[in-house]
Amino acid sequence: MSPAIRPEIIITGHTSADFDALAAMVAAEKLYPGATLVAPTMLERQGSHLFSDSIAYLFNLRQPKDCDFSTVRLLVVVDTHQRSRLEHVKEVLDKPGLVIHVYDHHPDADDDLPAQESVIRQWGATTSILTHLIREKGIALSPDEATMMGLGIYEDTGSFTFGSTTAHDLTAAAYLLEFGMDLGTIVELTSSDLTREQVHILNELLRNAMTHTIHGIQVTVSEIVLESFMGDFATLVHKLIDMENIKIIFVLASMGDRVHLIARSKVPEVDVGMICHSFGGGGHHYAASASIKQKPLAEVRGALLAFLVSVITPQMSVGRHMSSPAISGNAHMSIGQAEEIMNRYGLKAIPILPAEAGGGIGLLEQHTAARASAHKLDHLPVTEYMQRSVSTLTPDSDLHEAMKIILKQRQRLIPILEAHELVGVLTRTDVIRLLIDDTLHIPEGTPLDQEHRERNVASLVRAQLPDEHVRILEEAGKLGDALAMPVFAVGGFVRDLILKQPNLDIDLSVEGDGIAFAEKLAERLGGTVRPHQKFKTAIVFYPGVDNVEQRLDVATARLEYYEYPGALPTVQLSSIKMDLYRRDFTINALAIQLNAERFGTLIDPFGSQRDIKEKYINVLHSLSFVEDPTRILRAVRFEQRFTFRIGVQTERLIKNALSLSMLDKLSGPRLFNELKHVFDEKNVPSCLRRMDNWNLLRMIHPVLKLNPTKDILLTSIDEVLAWYRLLYKEPLPENWQVYLLGLCASAKYPDVAAMLERLGFIERQKSDFLSLRENTRKASSMLASLQSKGPVPMSQLYETLRPVPTEGLLYLMARHGQEHNIGQDISLYLTRLKDVKLEISGEDLASFGEAPGPLFGEALRFVLAAKLDGKAATRKEQLALASHYMACRKEGEEMAALNLTEVLGGRT
C-alpha cells in the first residue's frame, strides 16, 4: 500500500461531483499550480468512453482516503460553497488557521463557508468563471484540459440551452476552442445512447411519474429505488424532461443509505435551488440537487410535496393549460373535409382559420358537421355552418376568463391567439378537469417532442430525379392536398437523394388512410394497387416510360395518442415523426413533404443530416437491436456501402444485443433474408469481416465463421462476380449461393445441413443447395482428372460443366483460380461454350422421315459435340452428321470415331 499524500493545498468540489465540478477542479489547478485535486468519489457513469474513463489518470485526481490532511493550509472549493456538501473533507474544514478560497455559480445559503476569498457569479457553470480568470492571466491550456473544462460547461448549461446560460459561458467555450477543445468527445459524452439498464430505469421513472397541480402550476414528481449508486442519474432526468416536455420536475432516487433529489425548472415561479437547499443540498434557480441521509423515501416525498405547496405561488394563465399546437381547418375547406379531420383526431370541434389575413376566426363543431353530412350537405364550405361569433384569448389571459366563456357562453372550444396567430386551444374538457382540481395526474407522454430543423430540397429533387419520377411525387402531393392528407417521401429514397446516389425506389408515408390514398393514386396514374390490410400498406403499380411497369410503396404513418386517466388534454403527436422514429437508423429517418405548399420540405427530427454529413451509422433508441436484431446486419451493410462508421454507442449496443443472444430469437427465414441482402452488397467480404469481428457469423452458425483461407476465397468470389457482371449475361446469378458455398467450403455435410436448417431452408431448398454443392465438387474432380490427361476437348468440357448451375461454376472459378487451368476452362465455358447453339432442330430431323423420340436428342447432342470440337460448323454439315448418326444408331453401329469428310462424301 503506497503512503498517503500530504498536500498543503487541496482543490475539491461537492459530493456526487458532476462534470462541472470536476472540470472546475482541473481549471482551478491552473490557478494553484502544484495543488492536489481531491475528488469526493471517482466519477461513475454508465457505459464507457476513453476520455471519461481516463479523467482520474489524466488529471491525477485523488480520493480522500489517499490523503493525509494534517498538512493542508489552503482549501480551494469549486462548484459549491456549502459546508454540508463537503463531507469528504470534513476534517479539513475544522482545522485552525485554514484559508479557504471559493469559486462557485450557486446562490448563497445558510451554511456557506467562511471563505477568505470568494468568486461567486450567477453564470451557467463554475468552469466558465475559472476559464475567464485563466484567460485574464494568459495561462495556456492543453487540449485535454480544454476538453475537460468544455465538458463541464456544456453539461451544466445543457449545451447552452438552459435558462441559466449566460453570454460568459459562450465566450468561455470559444476561448477553450482555441486551445483544442474536442467537441466530438463532448458530444459523445453529453448525448450518449442509453444502456439497457438505463432504459429500464427510465421506463420505471416514466411509470412512477405523477403530475401535481399546485396553485395552477404543474409539477412532476417521480421516484425510484436503486440497489447501488448511479453517478450519472441526472442524465436520465434530462432524458425524462426531453421525452415528456416537462417544465418542472423533482426526481427522488433511493440509493443505499440516502435519497438523492434531482430538480429542474424551466419557469421563473419555481426556484429549485432554494427548494433543494431546504433539504441540505443546493444549486441555482433552474437546476439543483440534494442528498438526504437516513430518511425513508416516502418521508422525503411527503416533505417535498408539503414544501412545494407552501412555496409555489398561484399562477392560472391560459397558456399553461392550452393544447398546442392546435389542429384547425380553414375557410376554403368543405364541411366534409373538416368533419374528416375531426373524426381522424377524435375532436369535438376545430377552429376555422379565415381565408384572408385579419379575418375573423370561426368554430365548427363535430355534431354540426355530422348533421350537415347526413343531409348530404358535406360539399358546402365550412363558412356556411360554422360559428362566426367566437371569443378568443391570448396565452397570458387569466384562466377565469376562459371559464366564463366556456361555462357561461357555452362555447365548446376557445382559440388561443398570439399576434393574431393561432397558437393553441383550450377545450371544455380542459376547464372541467381544472374545476375538479384533481391534484394527482399522470404526465402525458410526448416522446419525440423535440425541435427539428427543416430545409427545402425541391431543387435537389428536380435535379437528381428523372422528370417522370418528379411528376409522380408532385401528383402524390396534389392528391394529398385533395384528401387533406400530409404526404411524404421517406426512408432510403430520401437518404440516397441527400447522398446524391441513384435510387428510384419511392416509399411514401401518408398521415391518414394509406390504402385509400394508394387506391386514389393508382386511379390517377392509370395503374393498379395491391393492399395489405394488416399493415395498412399498399403497393401501387403504374405504367412508366415506354409502358414499363413501375411501383411505389405507400404506408400509413400511424397516428398515436398518449391518454391517461385524469391527465392533461390529449396531445396529438406529429405522426410523421412517429413514423420516422420507428426506422432503423438516423440516416433513414428523413422525410420530404410532397404537398404543394410544402413540396420539397425536408423533415429531420433526429439529426439525420448531421450523421450523413459526419458519416455515422446511429440508431434512434437504445433498444433498437433488442427489438429487431436484424438491424445489426443492416448496420454493417450501410456502414460498408457508404464507407460510414458505426457510432461508438451504436456499436456498444450491438455488442450488448449479441451478448444477450438476441440473434437466437430470430427466425431462420428472417435471418436468411437479411443475409441475402448482405450478399447483394458491392463489398461483401468487408461486410463479412466486420460481422466476424463481432463473432456474428459464428453466432448464426459455427460453419460460417471466417478463417484466413475463407477470407481469400471470399475476396476471389467478389472479383469473379464483378467479372461476370461485366459480361451482361441474363439471368444474373444468385449471389447468395456463391458466397454461401464459399462460407461453408470444406465443411462436413451434416454441419452444412444444420446450417441450412438454422437459416430456415425448407426441404426442397436444402436439397437444391446441397445438390449444388455436390455437383460443384464432382465437376471440380472430373475437370482436374480430364486436365491431367492433356488438353480437354471442348465437347468434354461442355458435358462436364453443363450440369452445374452458373453459381456453382463461378464458385469453382473463385476457388481454383488458375489452378490446373480450371479457371480458364470455366471462363471459356461461360463466355463461349455455354451459349453455343445448333443451326438445326428436331423439326429438321423429322424431315428425314423418322418419328420424334429419344434418338432425336441423342443425335442433336452428338452434333453439338462435333460443333464444339470444330467439326460441324455449318447447317449443311450438321444435317449430314445428324443423318449419318441416326442411320448408324439404327443399324447398331458405334460412333466412337468420325471422319466428317468421309461422311459428307459418301453418305450425303
Side-chain angles (χ1 to χ4, degrees):
M1 182 177 178
S2 58
I5 301 168
R6 305 184 68 193
E8 292 188 8
I9 304 173
I10 64 172
I11 301 172
T12 194
H14 55 78
T15 54
S16 304
D18 56 10
F19 276 139
D20 186 35
L22 294 173
M25 289 168 58
V26 172
E29 197 272 336
K30 305 300 291 184
L31 300 175
Y32 298 86
T36 298
L37 276 58
V38 180
T41 54
M42 300 307 287
L43 187 67
E44 296 182 49
R45 292 195 169 248
Q46 297 295 310
S48 179
H49 189 281
L50 179 61
F51 189 84
S52 61
D53 291 347
S54 306
I55 286 174
Y57 170 78
L58 285 172
F59 306 110
N60 200 23
L61 299 184
R62 302 290 184 174
Q63 290 188 284
K65 63 182 179 63
D66 299 326
C67 301
D68 176 356
F69 293 132
S70 62
T71 56
V72 175
R73 60 179 177 81
L74 173 60
L75 172 65
V76 180
V77 179
V78 298
D79 206 33
T80 185
H81 53 294
Q82 290 178 248
R83 181 186 181 94
S84 59
R85 306 193 76 191
L86 295 167
E87 289 188 3
H88 57 291
V89 290
K90 186 176 180 180
E91 63 179 279
V92 180
L93 296 176
D94 297 325
K95 285 193 64 174
L98 178 71
V99 177
I100 300 175
H101 293 180
V102 167
Y103 299 88
D104 193 15
H105 71 138
H106 296 105
D108 293 340
D110 295 336
D111 62 339
D112 287 347
L113 293 169
Q116 283 75 19
E117 185 174 322
S118 297
V119 181
I120 299 174
R121 299 170 183 172
Q122 301 293 307
W123 294 3
T126 299
T127 307
S128 300
I129 299 170
L130 287 157
T131 301
H132 279 266
L133 296 174
I134 289 170
R135 182 180 184 180
E136 289 171 4
K137 294 180 180 292
I139 299 173
L141 299 169
S142 71
D144 284 339
E145 290 169 339
T147 300
M148 183 69 226
M149 292 164 65
L151 187 57
I153 296 172
Y154 271 77
E155 182 184 61
D156 239 34
T157 62
S159 298
F160 310 113
T161 62
F162 292 166
S164 56
T165 305
T166 68
H168 304 294
D169 301 295
L170 292 165
T171 56
Y175 179 70
L176 295 174
L177 200 57
E178 295 177 13
F179 286 94
M181 176 176 67
D182 187 344
L183 290 173
T185 295
I186 292 173
V187 168
E188 289 176 2
L189 284 168
T190 56
S191 60
S192 61
D193 290 332
L194 300 181
T195 64
R196 185 177 180 84
E197 179 187 0
Q198 287 174 315
V199 170
H200 172 76
I201 292 171
L202 185 57
N203 285 333
E204 193 71 19
L205 289 173
L206 281 166
R207 282 193 292 268
N208 296 339
M210 303 188 76
T211 295
H212 304 260
T213 303
I214 303 174
H215 300 309
I217 293 180
Q218 291 166 6
V219 180
T220 299
V221 178
S222 187
E223 61 187 51
I224 194 168
V225 177
L226 300 175
E227 294 181 359
S228 59
F229 177 73
M230 175 180 282
D232 58 347
F233 185 72
T235 301
L236 300 184
V237 176
H238 285 292
K239 291 282 186 183
L240 185 62
I241 291 170
D242 292 340
M243 290 173 64
E244 301 299 308
N245 195 23
I246 296 171
K247 297 293 189 295
I248 307 165
I249 189 168
F250 293 85
V251 177
L252 300 166
S254 178
M255 305 182 194
D257 64 343
R258 65 189 66 195
V259 175
H260 293 268
L261 170 61
I262 306 292
R264 298 291 185 266
S265 171
K266 296 181 180 179
V267 300
E269 292 85 0
V270 178
D271 182 348
V272 295
M274 178 269 293
I275 294 169
C276 284
H277 174 64
S278 301
F279 286 87
H284 45 75
H285 189 109
Y286 297 99
S289 63
S291 181
I292 304 104
K293 279 188 172 182
Q294 299 174 341
K295 284 190 177 182
L297 181 61
E299 183 180 339
V300 176
R301 183 203 316 121
L304 174 64
L305 289 173
F307 192 74
L308 290 173
V309 171
S310 68
V311 300
I312 294 178
T313 56
Q315 177 70 32
M316 299 287 279
S317 68
V318 167
R320 293 189 178 278
H321 302 282
M322 70 182 185
S323 297
S324 178
I327 296 172
S328 63
N330 61 68
H332 298 295
M333 282 184 172
S334 68
I335 292 173
Q337 288 174 320
E339 183 186 21
E340 181 183 351
I341 292 174
M342 287 186 279
N343 290 339
R344 188 189 309 162
Y345 300 119
L347 303 175
K348 297 297 183 183
I350 55 171
I352 303 298
L353 302 180
E356 298 177 358
I361 197 166
L363 185 69
L364 183 68
E365 297 194 12
Q366 196 276 336
H367 69 85
T368 301
R371 288 182 181 178
S373 295
H375 291 285
K376 302 190 184 305
L377 301 175
D378 53 339
H379 62 283
L380 294 177
V382 290
T383 51
E384 291 291 322
Y385 288 96
M386 73 179 188
Q387 293 175 232
R388 295 178 180 273
S389 179
V390 178
S391 296
T392 64
L393 294 173
T394 68
D396 295 326
S397 299
D398 193 284
L399 199 59
H400 292 292
E401 293 298 317
M403 291 181 180
K404 291 178 184 177
I405 294 170
I406 286 179
L407 300 179
K408 291 187 177 182
Q409 299 179 20
R410 297 188 177 278
Q411 183 173 308
R412 179 177 288 277
L413 176 149
I414 305 173
I416 310 301
L417 306 181
E418 189 169 38
H420 305 291
E421 294 290 331
L422 181 69
V423 294
V425 295
L426 193 71
T427 68
R428 184 182 299 176
T429 303
D430 299 334
V431 173
I432 290 173
R433 283 175 177 165
L434 288 168
L435 286 175
I436 292 173
D437 195 24
D438 192 0
T439 59
L440 294 181
H441 296 277
I442 301 172
E444 61 188 7
T446 56
L448 313 178
D449 187 19
Q450 51 187 294
E451 294 182 1
H452 60 279
R453 293 177 296 172
E454 294 181 354
R455 67 184 179 103
N456 196 286
V457 293
S459 59
L460 183 62
V461 170
R462 295 188 171 96
Q464 290 287 111
L465 299 180
D467 293 343
E468 175 65 13
H469 286 73
V470 174
R471 183 186 71 81
I472 296 299
L473 295 178
E474 291 175 339
E475 195 65 37
K478 292 175 184 176
L479 177 60
D481 290 337
L483 299 176
M485 294 182 185
V487 184
F488 306 85
V490 295
F493 169 78
V494 182
R495 173 202 67 216
D496 290 345
L497 191 72
I498 301 302
L499 286 168
K500 297 184 179 179
Q501 295 204 4
N503 185 349
L504 299 180
D505 295 330
I506 298 175
D507 292 330
L508 301 183
S509 183
V510 180
E511 289 186 354
D513 188 336
I515 293 178
F517 177 89
E519 290 171 346
K520 293 288 187 182
L521 184 60
E523 287 180 19
R524 291 195 174 199
L525 301 179
T528 59
V529 64
R530 183 192 299 162
H532 300 278
Q533 294 290 345
K534 180 180 179 180
F535 302 106
K536 299 191 179 300
T537 62
I539 303 173
V540 176
F541 299 94
Y542 63 94
V545 178
D546 297 328
N547 283 322
V548 176
E549 186 176 76
Q550 303 288 330
R551 62 170 280 175
L552 59 82
D553 295 293
V554 178
T556 300
R558 296 194 298 274
L559 184 67
E560 298 190 13
Y561 292 85
Y562 288 76
E563 294 179 338
Y564 304 94
L568 293 173
T570 297
V571 176
Q572 183 262 317
L573 302 179
S574 171
S575 53
I576 187 61
K577 285 165 57 176
M578 292 303 297
D579 181 73
L580 295 177
Y581 186 64
R582 284 186 282 269
R583 305 280 163 169
D584 47 12
F585 305 106
T586 56
I587 62 170
N588 295 328
L590 286 165
I592 295 175
Q593 189 155 4
L594 304 179
N595 301 82
E597 288 189 3
R598 289 174 57 81
F599 185 86
T601 300
L602 184 66
I603 312 297
D604 180 11
F606 308 111
S608 304
Q609 296 173 85
R610 180 193 64 240
D611 282 348
I612 288 175
K613 180 181 179 181
E614 297 179 358
K615 299 187 174 183
Y616 275 111
I617 304 295
N618 284 314
V619 288
L620 289 156
H621 57 89
S622 294
L623 289 179
S624 185
F625 298 118
V626 174
E627 294 173 351
D628 185 0
T630 63
R631 289 174 175 171
I632 298 173
L633 279 70
R634 262 176 271 162
V636 172
R637 287 201 288 118
F638 292 137
E639 180 190 50
Q640 300 304 315
R641 181 191 302 175
F642 301 122
T643 322
F644 280 16
R645 290 166 292 168
I646 293 174
V648 174
Q649 295 300 330
T650 297
E651 182 165 359
R652 182 180 57 78
L653 292 172
I654 289 173
K655 292 177 179 177
N656 180 58
L658 293 176
S659 70
L660 296 173
S661 302
M662 286 297 158
L663 281 183
D664 294 344
K665 299 182 179 181
L666 284 176
S667 67
R670 282 197 68 199
L671 191 54
F672 175 54
N673 183 63
E674 203 61 44
L675 272 176
K676 285 205 295 185
H677 289 308
V678 172
F679 295 141
D680 282 334
E681 290 293 324
K682 289 184 178 179
N683 196 350
V684 176
S686 294
C687 291
L688 296 177
R689 289 186 199 109
R690 184 69 154 125
M691 291 164 63
D692 199 59
N693 286 341
W694 297 325
N695 217 16
L696 181 56
L697 293 172
R698 188 197 63 77
M699 291 179 187
I700 296 173
H701 194 277
V703 160
L704 303 178
K705 182 172 176 56
L706 293 187
N707 56 43
T709 302
K710 280 188 189 179
D711 194 291
I712 294 171
L713 174 58
L714 291 168
T715 300
S716 183
I717 288 174
D718 197 54
E719 293 169 353
V720 167
L721 285 170
W723 165 80
Y724 191 76
R725 281 193 293 269
L726 294 176
L727 300 179
Y728 297 100
K729 288 183 174 290
E730 297 288 346
L732 291 174
E734 295 279 1
N735 290 350
W736 70 265
Q737 294 186 18
V738 190
Y739 284 112
L740 201 56
L741 284 170
L743 284 169
C744 63
S746 304
K748 296 179 180 179
Y749 181 95
D751 294 332
V752 176
M755 180 269 294
L756 298 176
E757 287 184 12
R758 172 63 187 100
L759 297 181
F761 280 42
I762 61 176
E763 283 303 316
R764 182 184 57 77
Q765 290 174 315
K766 185 163 67 173
S767 176
D768 288 348
F769 184 80
L770 291 172
S771 295
L772 171 64
R773 190 167 183 259
E774 180 62 17
N775 285 340
T776 58
R777 186 192 65 78
K778 288 180 179 178
S780 176
S781 177
M782 290 173 62
L783 200 53
S785 175
L786 286 171
Q787 289 182 342
S788 67
K789 300 173 184 178
V792 181
M794 296 298 100
S795 57
Q796 286 189 329
L797 180 62
Y798 180 91
E799 283 301 316
T800 301
L801 300 181
R802 183 177 59 83
V804 184
T806 302
E807 291 80 5
L809 296 175
L810 293 172
Y811 165 71
L812 286 178
M813 275 189 72
R815 179 162 187 173
H816 293 288
Q818 301 306 313
E819 176 188 341
H820 305 301
N821 294 322
I822 288 178
Q824 289 182 2
D825 283 349
I826 296 173
S827 173
L828 177 62
Y829 170 78
L830 289 172
T831 56
R832 289 177 48 195
L833 305 184
K834 184 181 178 182
D835 298 324
V836 171
K837 305 294 182 187
L838 290 176
E839 282 72 26
I840 64 172
S841 66
E843 292 181 0
D844 294 309
L845 301 190
S847 66
F848 297 153
E850 297 290 341
L855 186 57
F856 277 26
E858 291 181 22
L860 291 173
R861 284 194 294 274
F862 183 81
V863 175
L864 178 59
K867 180 177 180 179
L868 290 168
D869 290 333
K871 297 177 180 178
T874 68
R875 173 178 168 81
K876 180 179 179 181
E877 291 172 333
Q878 291 169 20
L879 284 172
L881 186 57
S883 175
H884 179 66
Y885 178 87
M886 293 173 65
C888 290
R889 291 291 288 134
K890 286 178 65 177
E891 296 171 7
E893 296 180 20
E894 294 295 332
M895 299 292 294
L898 173 67
N899 185 320
L900 184 56
T901 304
E902 178 184 332
V903 171
L904 294 175
R907 300 292 298 272
T908 302

